Amino acid sequence: MKLTRAALLLLSMMGLYACGGGDGDTGQDPGITPPAASGSVREALLKMDADGAAPKLNRDADVAGPDVDGNGVRDDLDAYINSLPDTELQKKALRQGYRVMRSLLLLDTMDTTAVLDGMRSSNAAIWCIYSRYDSDAKEKSGDIEKYSVNTEERYKAYALFNSAASGHSAVMPRGNGCDE
């Protein structure tokens, strides 16, 4: 059976969800403290803004961020999507991806059903992006994570979701995974 790039990505993401758990042994001597990373998350984000490596992004402490039109996508990310030269179907795939990522940051990680639903939605959104983009799909998927998880508060929320998802698996979506 020949696997497409999207299927391979989906399988690797499911592998990430399945990693973790165990006895917590990192294989490192507990007496050794790893060196501190230079600079803070906030400094790295400010540098990214300053060098133009990313669109102008909301940096509020609020995990959800503003969504005036209520479409589930932060307003700054909606404006970014609208500025792209992509087709309308591609933009819909991106909106789905950003909407799902935002929902992952906000879900109750103590609710296993919500976590599993979030994983399924995430897999569908990635599948959708791969169905609508060719060589740019991996970059577009990465941008969704990078631009959505752009504050310390959002990073912590995403880490909670990933921790809750660890050890679980999700099935591949039917069809192209797209909502619209």
Side-chain angles (χ1 to χ4, degrees):
M1 178 170 107
K2 183 178 176 187
L3 293 176
T4 65
R5 285 185 295 181
L8 290 172
L9 176 69
L10 199 52
L11 289 172
S12 67
M13 290 212 39
M14 289 179 355
L16 288 175
Y17 291 136
C19 292
D23 62 3
D25 183 13
T26 63
Q28 294 182 345
D29 180 343
I32 299 175
T33 304
S38 61
S40 69
V41 171
R42 189 170 308 282
E43 288 169 352
L45 294 169
L46 291 172
K47 182 182 180 312
M48 189 170 73
D49 282 345
D51 68 12
K56 182 69 175 151
L57 298 173
N58 171 277
R59 300 274 188 219
D60 293 346
D62 177 33
V63 172
D67 179 22
V68 173
D69 64 3
N71 70 349
V73 179
R74 266 187 6 227
D75 294 335
D76 58 325
L77 297 172
D78 233 352
Y80 165 67
I81 294 167
N82 288 333
S83 75
L84 296 173
D86 303 15
T87 68
E88 198 52 43
L89 283 177
Q90 290 171 328
K91 289 179 181 183
K92 286 179 180 182
L94 291 178
R95 280 191 191 87
Q96 179 179 342
Y98 281 106
R99 186 173 44 256
V100 167
M101 178 60 77
R102 184 172 185 252
S103 73
L104 298 180
L105 300 178
L106 297 172
L107 67 78
D108 176 4
T109 57
M110 300 305 289
D111 181 347
T112 303
T113 301
V115 171
L116 293 173
D117 287 345
M119 290 170 61
R120 278 190 284 277
S121 296
S122 178
N123 289 344
I126 292 167
W127 196 257
C128 180
I129 289 168
Y130 270 81
S131 76
R132 295 197 174 157
Y133 286 92
D134 278 331
S135 60
D136 292 340
K138 182 178 178 182
E139 179 182 347
K140 297 291 185 179
S141 295
D143 286 349
I144 289 172
E145 182 178 64
K146 180 171 53 177
Y147 297 160
S148 295
V149 185
N150 69 325
T151 66
E152 187 172 347
E153 295 81 8
R154 292 173 185 148
Y155 175 82
K156 287 176 181 177
Y158 193 45
L160 284 173
F161 165 75
N162 282 311
S163 179
S166 179
H168 295 286
S169 61
V171 297
M172 293 172 31
R174 293 181 189 261
N176 65 6
C178 299
D179 289 348
E180 40 179 331

